[in-house]
Each structure stands twice: as structure tokens, then as C-alpha cells.
Amino acid sequence: MEDNQTATPDASTANDERARRLADRAALYAAGVNPYPEHSDVTDHAADIEARYADLEAGVDTADVVKIGGRVVAKRGQGKIMFIVLRDPSGDMQLFCRINDMPSEAWELLGELDLGDIVGAEGVVVRTKRGQLSVAPRKLTLLSKAVRPLPEKFHGLSDKETRYRRRYVDLIVNADVRETFRRRSAIVSAFRRYMEDNGYMEVETPILQTIQGGATAKPFITHFNALNQENYLRIATELHLKRLLVGGYERVFEIGRIFRNEGMDLTHNPEFTTMEAYRAYSDLEGMKELAEGVIKAANAAVNDSEQIEYQGQTIDLSGTWPSRPMTSVVSDVLGREITLDTPVEELRAACAEHGIETKPEWGAGKLVAELYDELGEGSIVNPTFVTDYPVEVSPLAKRHEDDPRLTHRFELVIAGHEYANAFSELNDPVDQAERFRAQVEEKFAGDEEAMEYDEDYVRALEYGMPPAGGIGIGIDRVVMLLTNQASIRDVLLFPHMKPERRLGAPKKAAAASPEVSAAVAPNKLPTLDLDKVAVEPLFADEVDFDTFSRSDFRVVKVKDCVVPPKSKKLLKFTLDDGSGTDRVIVSGIHDYYEPEDLVGRTCVAITNLPPRAFMGVESCGMLISAIHKEGDEERLNLLMLDDAIPAGAKLY
């Protein structure tokens, strides 16, 4: 402890701001001042003071003493008067500091404060002659010395990765970010209140599970040391919640974290929050009422209208939300009637026409579902319950009595994205066992997302489960919708990020590479061992100058980068090419980069290539990369330029 308190930064870094602050911290300890005291006395907050003294006239001093605490975010003044802006969880409050009001040691401390320091102030409430409500301190205490300075600028596209990695700084400096997460809390609270008001009991079910079930998804796997067994992090809460219906509860729900070892994009994160609810003696209609009611209640908690703006679209949450069969949505986007009786060859041709990959064994139901996922879902704007899902994609739902190819299932779609998934739950143990067996066969055939056979769940159904409706609602996506956020990472306080590494290093090698783990500047490639480097030989064939000059090489700025659905190798870029119209390019470099590595970067692209379709996405151009080998390992470096070069600049 003594060594820690008296440590002095190296003289060579004396001009560094952090080093200077560390020196100030050491000086405080040397002077007998603890810059991190155990006790603090804060009884008041900025917003409460603002409300209480809203009518206080300019130039009036009260005798009312308050005690506030917060972070110094602004400091100005000299001579006998200084002004400090203090930020607490409720807002900002000015400290109107006058030398005659404060003891000498407090005044001296005032002069030594840095932006970011946390202080406590005790004083009277005043309103300055210019009308600013303030606290005039009589006592000032340093509660936490900030040895790392706050950034001057922490906004903008290029800083997104830093903002996600250092969310604590993001929250300090960006009021809109703090407001988003305050609203998230209000939304989750509204969900709970609505469910409890409608007779649902909140329960908790295991996160560690021995069987992969309740959804089709690739799980995270961990080892349970005490039992010496492999476990999965749950991919759904469904099967345990339905066991509770067997046990006699009528209405249950759980708000909890779900883990699916899958891709990340604007609307998907491998760890996310859902609310699942199950109601005995209910069905799909009951789940529609629940979905509509709980989302409207959440909206009322954070917005003043049922007409909300989401990413440039007006979404109307009012009224009773309509229902549409999946085949109706697909028919609309294809411009011709599609049903499950449509010949498989015709459905497969429609998929091929739109660049949708298929498998030979897929039947009509699976093909229709793929057409809907790739083309239909994105066409829906206002809340719509998409119904009548094929049984091939709904292994836990009840079949239609009049058409066993369809199930009693809906997905709630808003603004082109799924927000809820609901079923009239399957409660026939024999039918359920058969579907589990089919899933096991798919797993043996190589489908990592297929469910396993849950013998205990089948046994539970054999005791009898009442007819029931069940629903899962994605909390993160609801928060995105109601707070107008484009990315799921903007509604997760601490989104998962890859370890900081230099760009271009292969992902598999990055963790083990001693160069990458060294304390060097981020986003710089390690020094190459030229003895291990191999490059392709130069082309022997010549190309005439006119042919080459027709290739249009342009500087582009990466506005957005995501992983396309159902792809592991591709990245989809939205680029500013200087034309005023976004350009989309798909590139197979996901083995080397994550999307967050590239947003905000300045790159080079060929912009006059004919469009090509990848996974249903038209790619208009090609990003330029440099590839070489080091030993047996290929390394790809996306060509990046100085950010000062404007989008659209032509390369010659």
C-alpha cells in the first residue's frame, strides 16, 4: 500500500497528462490527504434542487444547505470567483465558488481539481445575477482523483468501437447514451409490471443445462467441475417453463439472459435478453394480446405517442395489430401466389432467382420459410403477426388440425425484424418424442443447431400438460425499437468485443501471437519476419493501359459493416463512395476482421464492376486487400488509408 501511494511516474513521461495526474495523486498522499476517502456525505441531487428552487429569483442567496456529489465536467474562472459544473446521476449543477465563502484548504483544492475528478460539495442554494441556479460551497472534498483524463471528443462513427469497449467513458460524456440505458431500465420494469398485473408469476430456471433444447441454435459449452460433466449455456428457457405448467402453475414468465453461439450483426448478439411466458388454457390469440399489450405498455413508459420514429420510418403501434399468413407475405414480394402446394421446383427456382442458397433435401415448407426470411420479413413496417409457419421450421409447435403441414405459430415483425415468437404449445408426448427424434437425426447429419432428445421433458408431458400458449419476446430489440437505436450494441451496456488486436492478423493466430499480445500501439501490424513471408509471383501477362484505366478505384468510408444472415465468411459493407448514395459491397474477409474493426475506416474499392449476388445481397464493387503468406499461414490486410482523404477521391 505504501509503495502504491508514493509511486512517482517516470520523468520521461512528465509531460503526459496521465503522468502529471499520477504525480498529483502521489503529492496528495505525501501531504497527508487521501484522494479516495472511505466516507462521503451526499444527500441531494441536481434534478431535485432544480425542481425545488425553480421559482428562485436571479441574484437571491438562500440559507438552505445542500450536500451534493458528482464529477467535475467543466471548470472556469480566476481570481476570487470560480465556476465548477458538477455532474451527478440526475443532471448537472453549477458550483458558484467564492473565496470568502470557503476555508483556505478548500479553495486551494479547487484550484488543483482536474476534469473528471469526483468531489463532494456542501453549501447553500443561490441563483446568480445571470439567472443560473447554483450551489455556493462552504465545504469541498475530493472523493476520487481521476488519473486518466476524459477524452475531448467521444462522438462519431469512428469512435464506436472505443465507446463500446469503454462504456464507462461513453456514459460519462454522452447524455444521450445515459438516457438510452435509463429508458431500457424503464422498459424492463414495464414488462414486469404488465406481466404481474395480468396474473403471471416470475420464475427463474437453470442457465446451465445438460441438454440442448427449446430452440434451434448452436450452444456455448462449458464444463461443470463438481459434477464432472459438460453443460450448455441455455439457448432458451422454454422447456423448463413448460414443466411448470405440468406442475400446476397457470401463468409463468421469466426475463433472463440467453446464449447462442452464433454470429453478430446489427440485430443479433450471442448473449441477449428475452422474456418467455407461458399460459395454460390459452392459445395463439392469447399470445397476440400479450405481445401487443406488453410492448404498448413498455412504449408508454418511455414515449408520449404510439406513433414512433425508428431509423427514418414512422411506426404505428396503435390499434389492433393485424395477422398475415407467411405464404401471403411471400406471395406479395414475389408478385404471384405462393402456397405449400406450389411445386418444389418452382420454389427452388424462386430462391435461385434471388440468390438464396438451398439444399436438395428441403421441401416446400422449408423453401417458403427461406423465401420469407430473405425477402418477406424485410418488407413489413408496422406491427404484424406472421402466422401459419411450416412444421419443418417449427419443431415444438402444434400442427393445424386441417393441414398438418402448418403449425399454430406466429412471429411478430416490426420494421423488418422479428420481435416475438409464439406458439400454441405442443402437449402430445408421442408427437413431441417423434419430433425430438427427427431433430436428433438432423444433429447426427451434421446440423449443430438441431435439438437433442430431452427424455425428461417427454416424461413431463406424459403426466399431462394443459393446452397452452407460449411466447418469447426479444427485450434488446424492443429497446432498440422504442429508443430508436440501429444497433443492438447501442442497447447493451457491455457488448462483447474481441480482444484488442492489430488489424489484419488472422483471428486464430491473434490470441496466440506474442506480437499481438505485446503492449504496442493498437491497429498496427506486427513487424514482419521477412524470412517467413511469401508472396504470389507477379503476373507474366501484360494488360494494356486502356483496359487498366477503365477500372475505377475510389476512396470509400465504411459507414456500417455487418455479418449477413447465415454466413460465416462474408462481411456486408455499407460505404460512402462520395456519390451521395450508399454503396453495398460484400467481401469474404470475416476470417480476418470483425465488423467493429472496420466501421469508420477509410478503404479503397473498385466501383465500376457489375453487381454480383452473395447470399441474397447485391455486391456492387470490390474492396482492395493485400495478401501474403507467413510460413503456412495466409495473412490478409484490407487496404486502409488516412482518414483525411475524402470519400470519392479517385486513385490514379
Side-chain angles (χ1 to χ4, degrees):
M1 183 68 176
E2 290 300 320
D3 290 343
N4 185 42
Q5 291 178 358
T6 58
T8 301
D10 187 90
S12 64
T13 60
N15 292 327
D16 177 77
E17 173 70 5
R18 179 170 175 269
R20 195 269 301 168
R21 292 186 181 212
L22 285 168
D24 289 348
R25 168 193 172 277
L28 287 167
Y29 275 117
V33 177
N34 181 1
Y36 307 99
E38 181 271 335
H39 179 72
S40 59
D41 192 7
V42 174
T43 59
D44 302 277
H45 292 89
D48 297 332
I49 296 172
E50 288 279 4
R52 199 182 317 153
Y53 295 95
D55 298 328
L56 187 65
E57 295 180 358
V60 174
D61 288 17
T62 74
D64 302 340
V65 176
V66 295
K67 299 176 181 179
I68 65 173
R71 189 181 299 275
V72 176
V73 295
K75 178 182 175 183
R76 62 185 174 85
Q78 56 185 0
K80 297 182 179 181
I81 295 178
M82 292 191 69
F83 298 92
I84 300 290
V85 177
L86 214 61
R87 177 167 296 161
D88 71 13
S90 70
D92 292 352
M93 177 58 62
Q94 177 174 275
L95 301 185
F96 179 35
C97 307
R98 298 174 286 200
I99 191 170
N100 293 332
D101 292 342
M102 304 173 68
S104 59
E105 62 271 16
W107 185 259
E108 289 174 8
L109 171 62
L110 192 64
E112 296 170 357
L113 290 178
D114 290 308
L115 296 186
D117 287 350
I118 297 175
V119 301
E122 179 180 333
V124 296
V125 179
V126 304
R127 193 176 290 279
T128 66
K129 291 180 180 179
R130 294 189 176 184
Q132 179 66 52
L133 188 68
S134 307
V135 172
R138 302 294 190 265
K139 182 180 178 182
L140 195 68
T141 306
L142 178 61
L143 300 178
S144 181
K145 179 66 184 173
V147 297
R148 189 179 291 271
L150 294 173
E152 293 183 10
K153 296 180 180 179
F154 208 66
H155 298 274
L157 196 60
S158 62
D159 283 326
K160 276 196 171 183
E161 181 179 354
T162 304
R163 288 177 49 212
Y164 296 149
R165 287 189 187 281
R166 305 178 192 173
R167 181 67 85 188
Y168 38 88
V169 183
D170 195 17
L171 292 167
I172 291 171
V173 301
N174 291 328
D176 57 333
V177 175
R178 292 197 303 277
E179 175 61 14
T180 293
F181 289 104
R182 185 202 65 78
R183 295 172 79 189
R184 178 181 177 118
S185 178
I187 288 167
V188 174
S189 293
F191 264 69
R192 281 199 166 91
R193 285 196 303 272
Y194 182 90
M195 298 303 291
E196 290 169 351
D197 290 347
N198 282 273
Y200 285 82
M201 180 178 73
E202 184 172 12
V203 298
E204 296 169 299
T205 61
I207 290 176
L208 291 177
Q209 300 183 354
T210 56
I211 294 175
Q212 176 186 345
T216 53
K218 185 176 180 180
F220 287 92
I221 302 174
T222 187
H223 186 77
F224 198 142
N225 287 341
L227 298 178
N228 192 27
Q229 65 183 19
E230 297 300 305
N231 276 246
Y232 303 112
L233 299 185
R234 67 186 179 193
I235 58 175
T237 56
E238 177 172 347
L239 300 185
H240 281 92
L241 290 175
K242 288 196 288 191
R243 284 172 169 90
L244 298 179
L245 299 187
V246 173
Y249 293 113
E250 185 172 316
R251 304 184 189 196
V252 294
F253 79 100
E254 180 171 10
I255 296 176
R257 299 296 262 184
I258 300 298
F259 308 87
R260 297 182 182 178
N261 200 354
E262 299 170 345
M264 302 167 70
D265 58 29
L266 288 177
T267 60
H268 292 84
N269 194 67
E271 177 184 359
F272 58 99
T273 302
T274 67
M275 183 192 78
E276 285 200 47
Y278 294 86
R279 177 179 172 182
Y281 313 111
S282 186
D283 54 19
L284 272 193
E285 294 307 311
M287 294 303 102
K288 290 177 183 178
E289 292 176 6
L290 172 57
E292 183 179 315
V294 74
I295 292 176
K296 285 183 175 181
N299 180 62
V302 296
N303 293 315
D304 297 328
S305 171
E306 290 191 329
Q307 278 71 45
I308 63 173
E309 290 297 316
Y310 181 69
Q311 301 302 300
Q313 293 179 305
T314 299
I315 308 296
D316 186 0
L317 301 178
S318 65
T320 300
W321 298 347
S323 300
R324 293 182 63 193
M326 178 185 287
T327 52
S328 170
V329 179
V330 173
S331 297
D332 280 356
V333 294
L334 292 182
R336 61 184 184 273
E337 185 178 8
I338 295 294
T339 70
L340 291 188
D341 294 318
T342 301
V344 168
E345 293 76 14
E346 182 179 336
L347 296 173
R348 203 178 303 280
C351 289
E353 180 185 345
H354 291 88
I356 301 171
E357 295 181 1
T358 61
K359 294 182 179 180
E361 64 270 21
W362 288 357
K366 177 65 172 173
L367 292 168
V368 167
E370 286 295 307
L371 287 165
Y372 167 73
D373 285 344
E374 297 295 334
L375 306 175
E377 187 175 70
S379 69
I380 297 171
V381 178
N382 287 323
T384 302
F385 296 110
V386 178
T387 61
D388 297 346
Y389 272 67
V391 71
E392 294 98 315
V393 294
S394 307
L396 293 177
K398 272 191 173 180
R399 300 173 192 259
H400 275 239
E401 292 79 0
D402 55 349
D403 188 346
R405 298 174 300 174
L406 299 174
T407 62
H408 292 287
R409 173 189 177 188
F410 73 70
E411 284 188 358
L412 171 62
V413 179
I414 309 172
H417 298 293
E418 173 203 345
Y419 286 81
N421 193 10
F423 303 84
S424 287
E425 298 298 336
L426 179 63
N427 60 347
D428 179 344
V430 176
D431 191 356
Q432 179 64 78
E434 290 173 354
R435 298 200 205 183
F436 275 151
R437 290 189 190 98
Q439 287 282 299
V440 170
E441 289 176 5
E442 291 187 21
K443 182 173 282 292
F444 283 146
D447 187 348
E448 294 178 312
E449 296 185 352
M451 292 185 231
E452 297 177 350
Y453 193 100
D454 192 334
E455 183 178 356
D456 181 71
Y457 178 67
V458 173
R459 180 167 54 212
L461 290 185
E462 289 178 347
Y463 283 98
M465 186 182 88
I471 191 169
I473 300 177
I475 297 287
D476 306 309
R477 289 191 185 175
V478 172
V479 176
M480 289 172 61
L481 176 72
L482 301 184
T483 61
N484 194 15
Q485 299 296 326
S487 171
I488 194 171
R489 294 187 170 201
D490 289 323
V491 300
L492 300 175
L493 275 169
F494 300 103
H496 286 289
M497 306 288 289
K498 290 187 67 63
E500 295 184 72
R501 62 182 177 88
R502 275 161 277 165
L503 299 182
K507 296 179 190 175
K508 290 185 293 184
S513 168
E515 297 98 332
V516 172
S517 61
V520 294
N523 302 331
K524 300 292 184 183
L525 284 173
T527 301
L528 297 179
D529 182 350
L530 296 179
D531 291 335
K532 296 181 180 179
V533 169
V535 298
E536 291 185 17
L538 301 183
F539 284 113
D541 297 335
E542 293 183 348
V543 59
D544 66 87
F545 184 81
D546 287 341
T547 300
F548 169 76
S549 64
R550 286 197 294 270
S551 296
D552 195 9
F553 289 83
R554 297 283 177 159
V555 174
V556 293
K557 307 281 186 177
V558 182
K559 298 176 65 176
D560 191 22
C561 182
V562 300
V563 181
K566 302 178 183 176
S567 172
K568 295 181 179 179
K569 294 187 177 181
L570 299 178
L571 291 178
K572 175 186 170 186
F573 293 82
T574 302
L575 303 167
D576 175 6
D577 61 8
S579 68
T581 301
D582 288 348
R583 175 179 296 274
V584 173
I585 291 180
V586 178
S587 182
I589 61 173
H590 195 193
D591 282 345
Y592 300 90
Y593 296 92
E594 285 297 327
E596 64 268 16
D597 292 335
L598 300 174
V599 173
R601 301 285 177 178
T602 300
C603 303
V604 176
I606 303 178
T607 58
N608 63 337
L609 294 173
R612 296 178 63 193
F614 293 91
M615 301 291 290
V617 179
E618 286 235 315
S619 179
C620 300
M622 178 185 294
L623 287 163
I624 304 302
S625 299
I627 298 175
H628 69 272
K629 284 190 174 182
E630 292 185 35
D632 295 329
E633 189 171 79
E634 183 177 81
R635 175 164 287 171
L636 178 145
N637 298 288
L638 184 64
L639 191 60
M640 300 187 202
L641 306 179
D642 191 305
D643 289 342
I645 304 175
K650 183 174 174 61
L651 274 68
Y652 286 93

